[in-house]
Amino acid sequence: MTYEIEERTLHFKQPAGTSRGVYTERKIWLIRLSDGQRQGVGECAPLPDLSCDAVPDYREKLEVFCAEFCQKGEIDGEAMRDYPSMLFGLETALLNLQRGDRLFDTAFSRGEVGIPINGLVWMGNYEEMLRRLEEKLEKGFRCVKLKIGAIGFEQELDLVKRIRERFSFHEVELRLDANGAFPYEEALYKLELLSQYAIHSIEQPIRQGQWAFMAELCRESPLPIALDEELIGVNDPEMKAHMLNIIKPRYIILKPSLHGGMQGCREWIDAAKQQGIGSWITSALESNIGLNAIAQFASEVYGDDIRMPQGLGTGQLFTDNIPMPLEIRGDQLWRCR
């Protein structure tokens, strides 16, 4: 077995704003494995200032893991627990080499069914966010996720109010993602105001690492709370179950590049199920290589009849994305046959 690593920089069609800043480009590393006859490719895509493995010597560490894999012929999942984006890239490359384009034998992977997805509205000024929202609704999305926490809460609340004046919760499911933007002292008050508008859930209302405060919010909030950033760096299976037992969120949102690769996400899903906590899977601004693998993985873990919209609508973000047989039809992601 041999490997190659290629570094690429992808460029966003328009700046992608979050409460942590604005992305204009995205650096990724592609792993290519070969056994002399077959090849497989996987994507490693850490997010600066967010991923637990966004280390300065990223490529050097990835080289070590790839060399060890080629020597042993298997992935050392335990050694790679703290390097989720590298683990996900290697997992994907190996599956691609072994199984070809169909990483898992599911109806989605065979091109027979689509996966429902949410439309994503990035942060911007009020007019930009309203326009982006209307574009998503015109395209047929019936579940929309708004990134909030950057333009001022009163404006964001007004935007949510305007949505509900036009569309009932029967027509449009509305999800919010605060990316930890609310100060704890203000969070419950803001959640109570938002709860007037039939919100499905809100992701990470306060910054991660405040387990006691987050647990209190989950108990008191009139809105269902979903954990995202909170899961980053919690890589031990026992600690995962322990954290969920303390905080008791309604949902967890899983990104293989951030939350332990496919191996780690399976552990999170199992731990959540045991405690009656729901979950869904999203991409983390990967290229289509990673998005394709994440979508197929979602169809594997949740089955062929996925009802809850997943966060997989990121394939059209980049001007120089890598072509893959993925297509958005209405509010579903499909793999073309």
Side-chain angles (χ1 to χ4, degrees):
M1 194 86 72
T2 60
Y3 74 91
E4 294 179 359
I5 296 174
E6 177 191 353
E7 184 177 328
R8 285 200 186 192
T9 299
L10 305 175
H11 300 87
F12 285 87
K13 292 179 180 177
Q14 59 186 30
T18 76
S19 60
R20 290 184 300 272
V22 178
Y23 293 107
T24 58
E25 60 182 33
R26 180 82 162 95
K27 186 180 290 186
I28 65 170
W29 287 261
L30 299 178
I31 301 173
R32 290 188 172 85
L33 298 178
S34 175
D35 64 2
Q37 295 180 325
R38 301 170 297 175
Q39 289 189 336
V41 62
E43 177 179 355
C44 305
L47 283 166
D49 303 320
L50 184 62
S51 298
C52 63
D53 59 353
V55 292
D57 58 343
Y58 188 90
R59 181 176 183 128
E60 289 78 5
K61 194 66 181 177
L62 182 58
E63 292 268 5
V64 171
F65 285 130
C66 288
E68 289 177 350
F69 166 76
C70 288
Q71 185 178 20
K72 297 176 182 177
E74 60 183 27
I75 297 173
D76 188 343
E78 288 301 313
M80 298 187 71
R81 277 193 179 278
D82 293 334
Y83 301 90
S85 65
M86 300 184 198
L87 176 57
F88 176 60
L90 201 48
E91 287 174 322
T92 302
L94 181 57
L95 284 172
N96 187 210
L97 182 144
Q98 293 173 334
R99 303 178 182 179
D101 291 339
R102 192 180 299 168
L103 306 183
F104 300 100
D105 188 19
T106 67
F108 170 77
S109 298
R110 295 191 297 270
E112 298 168 359
V113 299
I115 295 176
I117 60 175
N118 62 248
L120 178 59
V121 176
W122 290 98
M123 289 180 181
N125 62 41
Y126 183 90
E127 290 74 19
E128 288 172 338
M129 292 184 71
L130 184 61
R131 186 187 72 250
R132 292 168 188 168
L133 173 69
E134 290 173 341
E135 288 172 355
K136 295 298 180 185
L137 296 175
E138 288 172 3
K139 289 179 179 178
F141 285 96
R142 290 298 170 258
C143 176
V144 178
K145 173 178 167 179
L146 291 179
K147 292 268 190 182
I148 64 172
I151 65 172
F153 182 73
E154 293 302 322
Q155 283 186 296
E156 291 164 345
L157 188 65
D158 185 59
L159 184 62
V160 170
K161 179 182 177 181
R162 288 186 64 170
I163 295 168
R164 278 291 171 250
E165 287 173 348
R166 291 179 55 190
F167 302 98
S168 73
F169 70 94
H170 295 294
E171 297 171 295
V172 175
E173 181 178 285
L174 194 56
R175 297 174 177 176
L176 303 178
D177 184 1
N179 286 127
F182 296 167
Y184 167 72
E185 297 78 12
E186 302 173 9
L188 186 59
Y189 172 67
K190 291 180 175 180
L191 295 177
E192 288 172 347
L193 291 177
L194 289 166
S195 69
Q196 305 172 72
Y197 303 110
I199 307 298
H200 172 270
S201 58
I202 183 166
E203 296 178 36
Q204 206 68 43
I206 62 175
R207 62 179 174 81
Q208 67 267 37
Q210 306 178 87
W211 289 14
F213 288 160
M214 187 67 85
E216 183 178 347
L217 277 183
C218 287
R219 286 195 305 270
E220 302 295 332
S221 172
L223 283 183
I225 290 176
L227 301 186
D228 181 356
E229 289 93 338
E230 200 74 63
L231 312 180
I232 296 172
V234 183
N235 299 317
D236 177 75
E238 291 185 6
M239 188 57 70
K240 292 176 181 180
H242 179 60
M243 188 193 78
L244 293 179
N245 186 52
I246 290 175
I247 298 178
K248 294 182 171 59
R250 183 75 65 87
Y251 303 103
I252 58 174
I253 300 169
L254 297 165
K255 300 177 173 72
S257 292
L258 295 177
H259 301 136
M262 298 183 199
Q263 165 190 297
C265 285
R266 289 184 192 275
E267 293 171 354
W268 276 116
I269 291 168
D270 290 343
K273 278 183 179 178
Q274 291 176 15
Q275 300 189 39
I277 296 168
S279 66
W280 66 87
I281 289 175
T282 84
S283 56
L285 307 182
E286 294 89 354
S287 77
N288 280 335
I289 298 283
L291 177 61
N292 173 61
I294 294 166
Q296 292 197 55
F297 175 64
S299 72
E300 162 73 2
V301 295
Y302 294 132
D304 289 335
D305 188 25
I306 298 177
R307 300 295 179 88
M308 179 174 284
Q310 309 292 296
L312 304 173
T314 56
Q316 299 171 326
L317 290 178
F318 304 108
T319 60
D320 44 6
N321 210 335
I322 299 166
M324 291 293 288
L326 297 172
E327 181 180 282
I328 294 177
R329 305 175 193 168
D331 64 348
Q332 292 189 336
L333 180 69
W334 286 74
R335 261 178 57 85
C336 305
R337 301 194 191 194

